[in-house]
């Protein structure tokens, strides 16, 4: 059975629907600086106005500033359909995220609210997200195998403890799986982002695709590695390799092909 609410979101959310990207825009609110995991491909130590990659923002906003910003953006551009929090850290590890989303939802209930998360806290935060109007969730899942995940994550910090190696990767995937499943059961649209890291998880992403589809994800977005952090010495996968993998996985789960690897303060149309 089709869910009308999910259909409306996928029809109008530019990150979920390539056709929607021609007509609708989004605004990301950089209110979440703290993170609870350390990915070996991530660095947020600097910013350039010409950079377009996740985790980058020119400045942080308070919830009040974010609400005023949304007001100005919506007044200026009637095509804005989505308000999201995607960093620059992990949204659900920051109290400001929920407060911001509640403020925006109260003032703009008609806009689609979404978050991008590593999923570690997703299951326990879902009731609050639902109350704050969030109906679209993106979860970054790079591995479902602890052996593979231990090569991607330096550590996972959860409830005052730090987990490393296989233990951290196993904890993260277990939390991601529960969060995806519960978000889908609640009626949210779930997209999964997976960073394609040559020599690390490139041959593992088929297993990831099957696992997240079984958990309830609607679409999958393969993001080619931007070499930085501890993976700065790796070469990014060429576009043809990324496209071939998307074609291979599309019978398993629908693939996003128009991602722009947006900044944490992205605004406007994806183009």
């Amino acid at each position: 059975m089709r869910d009308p609410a999910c259909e409306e979101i996928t029809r109008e959310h530019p990150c979920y629907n390539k056709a929607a990207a021609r007509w609708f825009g989004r605004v990301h609110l950089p209110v979440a600086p703290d993170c609870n995991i350390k990915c070996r491909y991530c660095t947020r130590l600097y910013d350039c106005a010409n950079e377009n990659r996740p985790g980058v923002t020119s400045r942080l906003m308070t919830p009040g500033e974010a609400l005023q910003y949304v007001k100005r953006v919506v007044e200026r551009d009637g095509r804005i359909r989505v308000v999201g929090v995607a960093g620059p850290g992990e949204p659900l590890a920051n109290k400001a995220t929920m407060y911001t989303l509640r403020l925006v939802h109260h003032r703009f209930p008609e806009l689609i609210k979404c978050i991008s998360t590593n999923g570690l806290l997703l299951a326990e935060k879902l009731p609050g997200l639902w109350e704050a109007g969030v109906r679209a969730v993106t979860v970054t899942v790079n591995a479902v195998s602890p052996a593979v995940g231990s090569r991607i994550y330096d550590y996972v910090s959860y409830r005052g403890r730090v987990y490393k190696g296989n233990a951290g990767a196993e904890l993260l995937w277990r939390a991601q799986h529960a969060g995806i499943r519960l978000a889908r059961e609640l009626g949210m649209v779930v997209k999964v982002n997976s960073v394609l890291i040559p020599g690390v998880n490139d041959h593992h992403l088929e297993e990831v695709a099957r696992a997240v589809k079984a958990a309830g994800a609607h679409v999958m977005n393969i993001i080619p590695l931007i070499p930085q952090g501890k993976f700065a010495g790796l070469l990014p996968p060429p576009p043809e390799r990324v496209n071939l993998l998307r074609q291979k996985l599309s019978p398993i789960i629908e693939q996003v092909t128009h991602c722009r690897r947006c900044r944490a303060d992205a605004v406007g149309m994806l183009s």
Side-chain angles (χ1 to χ4, degrees), residues 1-219:
M1 180 182 295
R2 293 183 178 272
D3 186 330
C6 289
E7 284 190 345
E8 180 181 359
I9 292 172
T10 54
R11 185 172 61 249
E12 299 185 355
H13 197 311
C15 301
Y16 286 57
N17 185 334
K18 188 174 183 178
R22 298 175 55 192
W23 305 106
F24 302 110
R26 83 292 189 228
V27 55
H28 288 174
L29 304 176
V31 298
D34 297 331
C35 197
N36 49 14
I37 69 173
K38 177 55 179 175
C39 305
R40 291 177 179 163
Y41 55 75
C42 179
T43 179
R44 297 181 286 123
L45 298 180
Y46 57 91
D47 165 46
C48 169
N50 295 316
E51 278 193 297
N52 195 45
R53 61 177 174 85
V56 170
T57 184
S58 294
R59 73 180 185 94
L60 293 171
M61 295 181 184
T62 66
E65 290 173 333
L67 177 61
Q68 294 304 315
Y69 181 61
V70 173
K71 290 180 180 178
R72 294 196 300 270
V73 168
V74 170
E75 289 173 358
R76 186 175 69 236
D77 190 345
R79 299 173 298 177
I80 298 298
R81 190 70 185 91
V82 177
V83 177
V85 178
E90 161 54 32
L92 298 184
N94 293 262
K95 292 182 179 179
T97 296
M98 207 73 76
Y99 185 36
T100 300
L101 290 168
R102 287 197 297 265
L103 286 176
V104 173
H105 185 53
H106 179 74
R107 176 62 179 80
F108 298 98
E110 74 280 5
L111 296 179
I112 297 170
K113 266 67 67 176
C114 72
I115 63 159
S116 180
T117 174
N118 60 38
L120 181 62
L121 302 176
L122 180 57
E124 57 198 78
K125 298 290 186 179
L126 277 173
L129 289 171
W130 185 266
E131 290 180 5
V134 173
R135 299 295 182 267
V137 176
T138 293
V139 185
T140 299
V141 181
N142 299 315
V144 299
S145 159
V148 177
S150 67
R151 300 176 63 191
I152 300 173
Y153 307 107
D154 273 343
Y155 64 80
V156 174
S157 178
Y158 182 66
R159 293 186 176 179
R161 290 186 59 186
V162 174
Y163 300 81
K164 297 184 177 182
N166 284 13
E170 183 176 8
L171 170 65
L172 180 59
W173 165 237
R174 188 165 63 244
Q176 291 170 333
H177 182 273
I180 293 170
R181 179 178 57 81
L182 292 172
R184 178 62 182 264
E185 290 178 359
L186 198 57
M188 294 182 178
V189 180
V190 181
K191 174 167 69 73
V192 163
N193 283 351
S194 297
V195 179
L196 171 56
I197 310 169
V200 177
N201 71 345
D202 42 354
H203 298 295
H204 177 59
L205 288 184
E206 180 175 350
E207 186 177 351
V208 172
R210 295 187 185 281
V212 299
K213 176 65 175 180
H218 293 78
V219 295

